[in-house]
């Protein structure tokens, strides 16, 4: 008898299945089957909690990137404004031309963390070489904002990578649950030979409810 678990079943759905099947096994006086389902449910919950922790860390690091990126935008815009005023509000004159003649500040603030850091690094190199009195005092702020943005971006990238193994873990759990179900089916039929109806009652995968057709359909 087939009780194949859907390949795309979420950990939550696997947990729900084990909860229902475990209760059914207890009602059918099948303590060993109930125990195996309960044990597997505990393992599923551990997998779910680990996955959720990874997701939460990704959300947290993404939030930090937003703040660091906003601060970086403000600092670079401030340097642009100071350089523009020092150039007599003429974009083709230094110090503005050298620093923002190719990529304007409003364009730089639209970059992602990696490209923004590269831009900031280039900006620092040019500004230090230029050594203009109106810009030099602002450079420590650029260094701090640039380093903070890079660190936040690196943390977010690492968090995203850390999430990937949890999908592999979910697929492993799907396969493992099928083995648990197969063993449970044998146990039921050993205790109650020929009771395919009892196997279905305890182990059948719940069918998705049929969607009602609308009048338009």
């Amino acid at each position: 008898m087939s009780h194949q678990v859907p390949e795309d079943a979420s950990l939550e759905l696997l947990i729900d299945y084990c909860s229902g099947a475990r209760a059914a096994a207890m009602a059918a006086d099948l303590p060993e089957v109930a125990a195996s389902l309960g044990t597997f449910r505990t393992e599923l919950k551990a997998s779910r909690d680990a996955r959720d922790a990874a997701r939460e860390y990704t959300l947290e690091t993404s939030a930090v990137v937003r703040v660091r990126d906003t601060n970086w935008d403000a600092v670079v815009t401030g340097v642009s404004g100071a350089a523009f005023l020092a150039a007599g509000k003429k974009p083709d004159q230094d110090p503005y031309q050298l620093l923002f003649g190719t990529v304007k500040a409003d364009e730089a603030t639209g970059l992602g963390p990696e490209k923004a850091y590269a831009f900031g690094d280039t900006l620092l190199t040019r500004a230090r070489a230029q050594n203009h009195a109106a810009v030099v005092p602002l450079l420590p702020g650029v260094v701090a904002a640039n380093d903070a943005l890079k660190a936040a971006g690196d943390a977010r990238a690492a968090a995203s990578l850390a999430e990937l193994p949890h999908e592999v873990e979910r697929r492993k759990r799907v396969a493992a649950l099928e083995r648990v179900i197969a063993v449970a089916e044998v146990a039921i039929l050993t205790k109650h030979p020929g009771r395919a109806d009892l196997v279905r009652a305890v182990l059948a995968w719940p069918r998705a409810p049929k969607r009602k057709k609308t009048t338009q359909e």
Side-chain angles (χ1 to χ4, degrees):
M1 188 174 296
S2 175
H3 298 285
Q4 186 173 7
V5 181
E7 291 184 359
D8 61 348
S10 65
L11 291 175
E12 286 79 6
L13 192 57
L14 301 183
I15 291 169
D16 288 349
Y17 170 81
C18 286
S19 295
R22 176 178 175 276
M26 292 175 64
D29 193 23
L30 297 163
E32 293 180 359
V33 172
S36 66
L37 289 163
T39 298
F40 192 70
R41 182 180 62 176
T42 299
E43 295 173 1
L44 287 170
K45 288 182 176 181
S47 295
R48 179 202 59 193
D49 292 346
R51 180 209 62 192
D52 288 350
R55 285 180 176 176
E56 288 171 6
Y57 185 57
T58 298
L59 291 172
E60 291 167 358
T61 55
S62 295
V64 172
V65 168
R66 287 198 305 272
V67 174
R68 300 290 183 254
D69 191 38
T70 299
N71 290 340
W72 187 92
D73 291 350
V75 169
V76 171
T77 299
V79 173
S80 175
F84 189 67
L85 290 175
K89 298 184 178 180
K90 296 179 180 179
D92 60 346
Q93 298 295 314
D94 286 332
Y96 185 86
Q97 169 61 24
L98 177 65
L99 302 180
F100 297 97
T102 303
V103 180
K104 301 293 187 292
D106 59 347
E107 296 172 336
T109 56
L111 301 173
E114 294 79 11
K115 291 182 179 179
Y117 175 80
F119 176 85
D121 202 34
T122 299
L123 177 64
L124 286 168
T125 300
R126 291 178 177 176
R128 285 165 178 160
Q130 189 182 58
N131 199 34
H132 195 283
V135 176
V136 169
L138 303 177
L139 298 187
V142 177
V143 172
N146 218 41
D147 289 347
L149 180 60
K150 184 179 187 301
D154 289 346
R156 183 177 66 177
S160 296
L161 287 176
E163 278 197 68
L164 296 179
H166 292 285
E167 171 58 18
V168 176
E169 173 70 6
R170 183 197 66 78
R171 295 186 182 189
K172 289 181 179 179
R173 290 301 184 184
V174 168
L177 179 55
E178 289 186 345
R179 292 192 293 272
V180 170
I181 292 173
V183 172
E185 180 177 345
V186 171
I188 294 172
L189 292 176
T190 298
K191 186 173 183 179
H192 301 284
R195 289 295 307 276
D197 59 331
L198 187 58
V199 171
R200 285 193 295 271
V202 174
L203 299 176
W205 188 265
R207 295 181 179 180
K210 293 183 178 180
R211 186 172 63 90
K212 294 182 179 180
K213 291 185 177 181
T214 64
T215 304
Q216 292 180 342
E217 291 177 327

